[in-house]
Amino acid sequence: MKDERIDELGENHIATSAFTPLRKDAFVLSNEEKIEKIQNNIRQIMETLGLDLTDDSLKGTPKRVAKAYVNEIFGGLNPDKMPSTSTFDNNYKYNEMLVEKNIVVYSTCEHHFLPIIGRAHIGYISNGKVIGLSKMNRIVEYFSKRPQVQERLTMQIVQAMQQALGTEDVACVIDAKHLCVNSRGIKDIESSTVTSEFGGKFKDNDVRREFLNYIKMETAFSR
Ligand SMILES: [Zn+2]
């Protein structure tokens, strides 16, 4: 791919697929081996920048970054970390929409490796199964811990919920700040990006409006 095309894709945050592009050999190395390799690479980057890694403050940085990449920030690349999405029967026959909103999103822009920070709002209409509320947070967290494009993150959350619940009737809206836009490039600290994915009944205007109204609700929880 030509350099200009790479820049264009990156600056416009265009994803090439709904699937995270992973190599076939993504899990040949163990986490320990990956940490070892990445810390050497980070050390090289830092040295190339001219930093003195004998300084006490910088000495541990390559290892810290490598551990954070493998275990935390990009831990969601590993399918073994996919949270269990066990569901329960909807015994109380609640047939209305359930919305969990303001779920914290900490992800990483795959074009610049800078943070994406925001909130996800998920809604679903049960067709017989219900999912634990904290499971929804865990699904968001799992897919956030990858190099991401916000559109793909939104779609992956909806698809995981649809699979777990056995229904198309799932929606997700994410409102997030991209530090690659806020702190560099165009340096717009105010802007945020909204993405949405509406499945099944949520494609209906009334259902969609109901969902959007709920996520706009501001309840004063403290007096
Ligand atoms: Zn970016």
Side-chain angles (χ1 to χ4, degrees):
M1 203 188 294
K2 287 218 179 91
D3 275 3
E4 306 89 76
R5 181 71 183 136
I6 291 172
D7 280 350
E8 192 190 332
L9 279 174
E11 291 304 325
N12 294 308
H13 295 92
I14 293 164
T16 47
S17 146
F19 297 99
T20 301
L22 269 182
R23 289 155 54 105
K24 285 206 174 65
D25 60 357
F27 303 105
V28 171
L29 295 180
S30 68
N31 281 356
E32 290 67 33
E33 289 167 323
K34 285 181 185 175
I35 290 170
E36 193 60 39
K37 238 181 135 161
I38 293 172
Q39 75 170 294
N40 291 332
N41 296 333
I42 297 287
R43 186 176 299 117
Q44 278 185 23
I45 291 174
M46 294 174 71
E47 281 170 357
T48 306
L49 289 170
L51 293 165
D52 178 5
L53 272 84
T54 61
D55 187 279
D56 273 348
S57 174
L58 297 179
K59 217 183 271 174
T61 301
K63 177 104 184 212
R64 275 190 295 269
V65 173
K67 279 171 82 174
Y69 272 16
V70 173
N71 296 331
E72 298 174 80
I73 299 171
F74 301 132
L77 286 172
N78 191 338
D80 290 348
K81 294 249 183 99
M82 172 77 185
S84 92
T85 46
S86 44
T87 52
F88 310 93
D89 290 333
N90 180 12
N91 289 331
Y92 28 86
K93 304 278 174 250
Y94 176 77
N95 292 324
E96 298 296 326
M97 186 183 303
L98 185 146
V99 177
E100 187 173 359
K101 57 184 196 172
N102 295 325
I103 301 170
V104 171
V105 172
Y106 281 114
S107 191
T108 306
C109 160
E110 72 181 20
H111 299 125
H112 299 95
F113 269 29
L114 286 170
I116 299 172
I117 303 167
R119 300 276 179 177
H121 316 285
I122 304 177
Y124 74 90
I125 301 165
S126 172
N127 76 343
K129 293 199 178 307
V130 288
I131 190 165
L133 295 179
S134 66
K135 289 278 158 59
M136 294 159 75
N137 293 65
R138 290 197 196 286
I139 289 172
V140 171
E141 191 186 17
Y142 171 69
F143 288 105
S144 296
K145 301 292 178 226
R146 295 177 173 196
Q148 273 295 10
V149 176
Q150 191 175 319
E151 294 90 323
R152 185 203 294 134
L153 175 61
T154 313
M155 289 163 74
Q156 287 178 333
I157 291 167
V158 167
Q159 285 163 5
M161 289 281 297
Q162 286 173 328
Q163 253 170 32
L165 290 161
T167 175
E168 290 291 302
D169 305 335
V170 178
C172 178
V173 169
I174 298 180
D175 187 4
K177 281 183 172 287
H178 292 233
L179 261 60
C180 52
V181 175
N182 301 143
S183 73
R184 55 159 292 288
I186 198 87
K187 288 195 189 119
D188 178 352
I189 58 163
E190 298 298 332
S191 68
S192 69
T193 305
V194 179
T195 47
S196 60
E197 176 79 359
F198 299 103
K201 291 179 187 160
F202 285 89
K203 291 188 193 298
D204 177 272
N205 275 338
D206 288 344
V207 176
R208 182 184 300 209
R209 198 171 307 122
E210 183 184 341
F211 172 62
L212 295 176
N213 281 337
Y214 290 142
I215 67 177
K216 272 192 289 199
M217 270 170 64
E218 285 185 34
T219 310
F221 289 102
S222 56
R223 292 171 193 228

